[in-house]
């Protein structure tokens, strides 16, 4: 995609028809991508805390102060008192430097990405499966020729149009398109098979051939069969692993791996993970760093607004308890409010860097605009910060950092070559299986005639808070903020004589909750849907949730509940 | 209408001469893509042949760009100072195809109705269109079904200049005073056309019309009838709408789509109001602040788009259907529900 | 060429709180020439902008016979309306318009007149009620019916009291939910119909309010024998440009901002989608 500019302002975009993924087709975020480049809510100068507010300062002062604070904390409490948070909203080059900053310069194992609350489950599962690197685990163009595609979660095709486009093309060619989703009552017409079960129960449902015929299952075992899901939403890692393992165990030929496309709402999820933005053995993850008893006293947060993942009040509370918060980012937001030092970064469209997409394709993004105000890229800033800490980091142009990455990161050799700069970018090598497929665990049946099934989908990544959305006059209307309410089927609400907005009392074995009821035609009968984003509400009925042993983060399994008028 | 001949070798000379006094825009290859872009000299004659070449975006972009500032303001004490951007350059578009020309003349009518849209007209008044007739349509073309091409009618058609790629020269048909000015300023390059050239033009047009693949879009009139009489069932609209990804691409690449939204920026004492392409595919297009949305359903929105394009009510108002058959929506649509596939589905 | 997208600056002369979230603003244009030339018809609307924040359409709510200053009533629901509510007398806003067809005032002369207003829906009707009262003798029976959710949700409470006392008009008022101080009718506005509507003959009825109120009002009016061509309403749509260009307010081949916002139910019935 090109960004078109006039008088130094972004004025439009142009798709690239020759691109093997987009083929000249964009989603609505792509078409309106230029609007947020004109945002007036940008950070343009370094800021430092001044009492309750923030005041502008120079880069030297901001970096010097950060260096002193970090050194001070290391001196008093050791390097493990510092936590570092990288981001899927940073390029591979920047994430590589952030990872080096943590591991080599500061010497802390407390390194993680903001995706801990969502996509870490998928990434950890893939990592377990393909030990040496996830590589090119899928192919978007090849999806078109799939004999069958299993889509887990109904948003997957429409929200990611290059993938959705291939699904429609595959449908036209006669492929079996299968939708698995418990939170919707009806699938679009090109889904030939609809499996209305929650993701955590999907592998068991496939194994039991519930809602799906053996012929369709056989097609899913054929070479080229696809699995598409939104990584940010699928939890816990055991169910991701079981799902993929089921497909692998079921395949017709031992040499083919299924075409796995784990989509994400953030642009460089795979790149951030691959370049080491995750805790090494013995390190704390983001949730653990923010926990009340955590030893982390200083947090360095790069590029992402954590409030996109955590409700605002809870976040500010947690940040307040820290002795030092450095936030390097692009927009004025809640994380910036809780920081002691704020550093302004350029947008993707204002700097050069590579991104890795969900199929393992590494591509260069080149600047279309000059950085706003005093924004500076991390490849300049982090070496200076390292210097302030008495250490050094490689810096310089993006291409030079790519050479370093090519040498240091297994599987990323191609990033240093010319192919990355081509229109199509460079595909990483296909992965190899590291572990033998496991059998899906059999979960106890979740059925009871007088109870409702409560689904708590992981929507912690809230689109409407994303600046790309919020700063566009089109997209901010497209993505409406969700209301703190539990959704129930319209007919069920009528049967129980609920008036619009009336409160319901929801009771489970773990707790009880009173919440406004929202009648929704799309929700299946005898089902309730409550977004995990409303953590306070969720914890009322689901308690503290469960810990995913692989990611060590919280998730909320589906459960049976009773509903009555409050 | 006047007819001339220009030798193929002289076309570049003409462009060079024109580019000395005004901006000349022609289809240009950038990497593997083709865009309308300013040219000075040495234009790519392969993109100016009888074979249809359609840049990704229609020439609409030159009169109604993806986004443009309406005005900027500065707060001065209790008052505001408001400035409007001006665009005074004169431009010639060379190698625009008949579908895009038809689209621009269609937009002209729309932007004249009720009042004159000054942002549109300050660009449009300074724009001269040199259309290239298509001896050979491209893969997605269906202009022949929509009266959008492949040639503009010498007598009835609206254009400034139309070029026809003859075997050893270009036939130049000139219809407007704007077109005439471009020829008269370089009259040495042009000779009067003889009847044989006109004869060849007719043969070429006939051949071109016959070279369109037999296509479902010849069922256009059936689709118009069914949409007008509300005979298409809501289920059909929903089925089509389910394949629509709400990306807006079809509207943006359509030479006839003109809907826009307005954005507002405010930074300290300064700000700007700007307009940008909008699309009736978007669920937010009609959503009101209260949350009420008269077209919240996908099928309803899909129906809206095709009602505007193909209903007799609009055809009567605008004099033509809102489609010129350029086929760009086929390229842009991720859900494979561009105009031809919809028309094919609707006629049944 | 005049630039229809360029706002005229207008100053807030005064503001009046109507309900907890609704306020009436009185404006005058800053430019003396524009002020002198400013005229509007009942039922027309303005595009009002808080510069740099946004612009939205608002029905004119004051008497077109006195256009030197003009009023709109604004409920704070979104970013634009909240920004406008933050403004004080003396502050400037951008004004474009008036736009829309307006009510064809002269066509109603010699007829019985009924107004049915719900909540904030009374505002655009007021731009017709006031000039009709100025020319009261041109019309026959004159009935105003007004319903609000609660007494606190009533707009123009002062003016309502005046109307209630005027001998030359008949007036009925109700609330969906009363309170301790409320001595009047309780119930939806349609409950006033049997008591106060006398005839459908030679009568035109103007209906404006929330969609659900309009729906039930139309059903009841039809039962009383009103023909769709004698039921007039104003349609609401998300209008951006006000001049039939941006496309947001199109219904079928009509543009609410140019062909409306005033439509009879006969016209509305012909539109190819639900309104």
């Amino acid at each position: 995609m090109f960004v078109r500019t006039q008088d130094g302002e972004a004025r439009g975009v142009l798709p690239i028809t020759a691109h093997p993924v987009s083929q000249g087709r964009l989603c609505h975020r792509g078409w309106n991508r230029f609007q947020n480049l004109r945002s007036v809510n940008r950070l343009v100068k370094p800021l430092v805390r001044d009492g309750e507010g923030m005041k502008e300062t120079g880069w030297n002062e901001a970096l010097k102060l950060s260096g002193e604070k970090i050194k001070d904390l290391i001196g008093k409490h050791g390097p493990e008192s510092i936590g570092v948070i990288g981001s899927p909203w940073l390029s591979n080059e920047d994430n590589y430097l952030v990872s080096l900053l943590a591991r080599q310069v500061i010497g802390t194992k407390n390194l993680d990405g903001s995706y801990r609350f969502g996509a870490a489950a998928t990434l950890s599962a893939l990592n377990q499966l393909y030990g040496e690197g996830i590589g090119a685990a899928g192919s978007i163009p090849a999806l078109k020729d799939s004999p069958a595609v299993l889509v887990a979660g109904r948003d997957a095709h429409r929200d990611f149009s290059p993938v959705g486009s291939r699904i429609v093309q595959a449908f036209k060619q006669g492929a079996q398109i299968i939708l698995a989703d418990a939170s919707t009552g009806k699938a679009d017409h090109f889904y030939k098979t609809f499996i209305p079960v929650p993701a955590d129960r999907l592998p068991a449902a496939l194994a039991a051939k519930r809602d799906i015929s053996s012929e369709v299952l056989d097609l899913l075992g054929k070479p080229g069969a696809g699995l598409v899901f939104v990584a940010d939403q699928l939890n816990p890692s055991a169910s991701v692993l079981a799902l993929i393992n089921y497909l692998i165990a079921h395949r017709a030929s031992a040499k083919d791996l299924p075409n796995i496309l784990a989509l994400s709402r953030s642009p460089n999820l795979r790149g951030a993970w691959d370049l080491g933005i995750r805790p090494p053995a013995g390190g704390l993850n983001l949730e653990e760093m923010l926990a009340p008893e955590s030893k982390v006293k200083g947090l360095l947060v790069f590029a992402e607004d954590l409030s996109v993942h955590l409700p605002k009040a809870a976040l500010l509370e947690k940040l307040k308890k820290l002795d030092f918060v450095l936030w390097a980012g692009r927009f004025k937001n809640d994380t910036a409010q809780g920081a002691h030092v704020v550093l302004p970064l350029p947008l993707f469209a204002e700097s050069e860097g590579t991104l890795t997409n969900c199929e393992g394709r590494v591509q260069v993004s080149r600047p279309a605009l000059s950085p706003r105000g005093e924004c500076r890229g991390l490849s300049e800033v982090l070496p200076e910060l390292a210097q302030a800490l008495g250490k050094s980091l490689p810096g310089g142009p993006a291409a030079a950092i790519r050479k370093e990455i090519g040498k240091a990161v297994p599987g990323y050799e191609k990033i240093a070559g010319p192919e990355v700069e081509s229109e199509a970018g460079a595909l990483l090598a296909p992965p190899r299986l590291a572990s033998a497929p496991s059998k899906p665990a059999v979960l106890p049946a979740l059925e009871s005639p007088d109870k409702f099934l409560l689904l708590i989908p992981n929507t912690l990544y809230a689109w409407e808070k994303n600046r790309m959305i919020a700063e566009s006059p089109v997209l901010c209307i497209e993505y409406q903020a969700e209301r703190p309410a539990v959704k129930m089927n319209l007919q069920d609400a009528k049967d129980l004589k609920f008036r619009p907005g009336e409160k319901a009392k929801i009771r489970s074995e773990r707790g009880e909750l009173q919440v406004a009821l929202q009648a929704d035609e799309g929700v299946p009968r005898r089902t309730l849907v409550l977004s995990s984003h409303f953590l306070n509400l969720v914890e009322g009925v689901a308690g503290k949730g469960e810990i995913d042993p692989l990611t060590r983060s919280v998730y909320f399994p589906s459960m049976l509940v009773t509903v009555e008028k409050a | 209408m006047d007819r001339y001949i220009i030798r193929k070798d002289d076309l570049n000379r003409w462009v060079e001469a024109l580019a000395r006094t005004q901006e000349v825009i022609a289809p240009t290859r950038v990497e593997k893509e083709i865009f309308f872009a300013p040219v000075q000299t040495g234009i790519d004659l392969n993109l100016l042949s009888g074979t249809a070449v359609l840049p990704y975006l229609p020439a609409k972009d030159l009169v109604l760009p993806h986004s443009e500032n309406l005005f900027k303001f500065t707060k001065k004490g209790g008052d505001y100072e408001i400035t409007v951007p001006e665009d005074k350059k004169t431009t010639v578009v060379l190698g625009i195809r008949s579908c895009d020309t038809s689209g621009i003349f269609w937009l002209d009518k729309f932007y004249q109705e009720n009042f004159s849209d000054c942002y549109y007209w300050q660009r449009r008044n300074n724009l001269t269109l040199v259309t290239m007739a298509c001896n050979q349509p491209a893969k997605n073309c269906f202009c022949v079904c929509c009266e959008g091409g492949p040639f503009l009618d010498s007598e009835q058609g609206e254009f400034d200049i139309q070029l026809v790629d003859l075997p050893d020269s270009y036939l130049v048909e000139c219809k407007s005073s704007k077109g005439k000015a471009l020829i008269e300023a370089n009259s040495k390059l042009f000779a009067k056309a003889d009847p044989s050239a006109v004869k060849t033009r007719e043969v070429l047009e006939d051949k071109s019309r016959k070279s369109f693949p037999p296509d479902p879009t010849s069922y256009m009139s059936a689709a118009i009838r069914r949409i007008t009489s509300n005979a298409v069932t809501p289920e059909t609209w929903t089925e089509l709408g389910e394949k629509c990804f709400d990306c807006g691409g079809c509207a943006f690449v359509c030479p006839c789509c003109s809907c826009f939204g307005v954005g507002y920026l405010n930074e300290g004492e300064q700000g700007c109001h700007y307009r940008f392409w909008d699309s009736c595919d978007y669920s937010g297009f009609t959503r009101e602040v209260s949350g009420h949305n008269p077209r919240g359903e996908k099928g309803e929105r899909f129906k809206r788009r095709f009602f505007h394009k193909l209903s007799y009510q609009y055809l009567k108002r605008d004099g033509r259907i809102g489609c010129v058959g350029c086929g760009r929506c086929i390229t842009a649509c991720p859900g494979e529900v561009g105009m031809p596939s919809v028309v094919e589905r609707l006629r049944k | 060429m005049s630039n229809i997208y360029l706002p005229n600056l207008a100053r807030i002369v005064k503001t009046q709180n109507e309900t907890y979230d609704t306020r009436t603003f009185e404006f005058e244009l800053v430019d003396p020439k524009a002020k002198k030339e400013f005229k509007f018809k009942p039922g027309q609307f303005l595009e009002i902008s808080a510069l740099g924040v946004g612009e939205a359409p608002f029905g004119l709510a004051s008497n077109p016979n006195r256009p030197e200053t003009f009023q709109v009533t604004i409920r704070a629901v979104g970013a634009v309306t909240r920004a406008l509510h933050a403004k004080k007398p003396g502050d400037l806003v951008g004004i474009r318009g008036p736009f829309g067809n307006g009510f064809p005032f002269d066509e109603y002369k010699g007829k019985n007149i009924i107004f049915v207003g719900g909540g904030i829906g009374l505002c655009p009707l007021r731009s017709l009620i006031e000039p009709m009262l100025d020319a009261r003798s041109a019309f026959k029976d004159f009935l105003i019916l007004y319903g609000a959710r609660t007494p606190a949700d009533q707009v123009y409470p002062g003016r309502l009291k005046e109307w209630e006392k005027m001998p030359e008009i008949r007036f009925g008022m109700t609330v969906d939910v009363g309170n301790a101080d409320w001595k009047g009718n309780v119930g939806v506005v349609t409950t006033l119909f049997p008591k106060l509507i006398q005839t459908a003959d030679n009568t035109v009825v103007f209906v404006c309010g929330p969609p659900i109120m309009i729906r039930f009002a139309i059903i009841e009016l039809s039962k009383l024998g009103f023909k769709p061509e004698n039921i007039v309403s104003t349609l609401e749509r998300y209008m951006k440009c006000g001049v039939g260009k941006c496309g947001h307010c199109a219904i079928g081949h009509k543009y609410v901002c140019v062909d409306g916002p005033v439509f009879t139910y006969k016209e509305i019935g012909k539109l190819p989608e639900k309104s």
Side-chain angles (χ1 to χ4, degrees), chain B residues 93-113:
Chain B
V93 188
L94 180 68
I96 176 176
R97 300 287 159 165
S98 47
C99 49
D100 275 3
T101 306
S102 305
I104 287 188
F105 276 93
W106 190 82
L107 287 177
D108 285 354
K109 279 197 205 87
F110 180 70
Y111 277 104
Q112 236 158 8
E113 239 171 50

Side-chain angles (χ1 to χ4, degrees), chain C residues 19 29 72 115 125 232 260:
Chain C
T19 73
L29 288 170
V72 296
F115 287 95
L125 295 181
V232 185

Side-chain angles (χ1 to χ4, degrees), chain A residues 4 17 24 158 189 477-478, chain B residues 33 56 61 67 242 284 287:
Chain A
R4 305 166 75 201
T17 55
R158 187 164 290 123
H189 71 281
I477 315 175
E478 289 290 288
Chain B
E33 309 293 312
Y56 187 91
D61 184 52
S67 77
E242 282 176 353
R287 188 186 289 127

Side-chain angles (χ1 to χ4, degrees), chain A residues 208-273:
Chain A
K209 294 185 188 170
R210 254 182 60 184
D211 306 301
I212 188 163
S213 70
S214 338
E215 291 91 306
V216 175
L217 272 179
D218 287 345
L219 283 174
L220 274 178
K222 290 258 157 63
L227 170 64
V228 172
F229 59 95
V230 183
D232 307 323
Q233 288 171 348
L234 216 51
N235 256 330
S237 48
S239 42
V240 183
L241 203 52
L243 186 54
I244 300 172
N245 270 331
Y246 175 80
L247 293 179
I248 290 174
H250 195 75
R251 68 201 152 144
S253 110
K255 65 181 200 309
D256 296 302
L257 288 174
N259 182 0
I260 298 171
L261 294 169
L263 311 170
S264 172
R265 292 183 157 186
S266 31
N268 197 26
L269 176 72
R270 273 293 309 282
W273 180 266

Side-chain angles (χ1 to χ4, degrees), chain B residues 14-56:
Chain B
W14 188 37
V15 172
E16 281 164 28
L18 292 175
R20 277 196 283 277
T21 52
Q22 59 220 303
E23 185 181 57
V24 178
I25 286 185
T28 307
R29 213 175 274 279
V30 180
E31 294 177 25
K32 284 180 195 150
E33 309 293 312
I34 297 168
F35 306 130
F36 281 115
V39 291
Q40 297 289 334
T41 170
I43 49 165
D44 188 349
L45 285 178
N46 288 326
L47 303 179
L48 287 175
S49 76
T51 304
V53 170
L54 292 163
Y56 187 91

Side-chain angles (χ1 to χ4, degrees), chain B residues 53-67:
Chain B
V53 170
L54 292 163
Y56 187 91
L57 289 180
K60 159 181 99 171
D61 184 52
L62 301 169
V63 280
L64 185 67
H66 198 160
S67 77

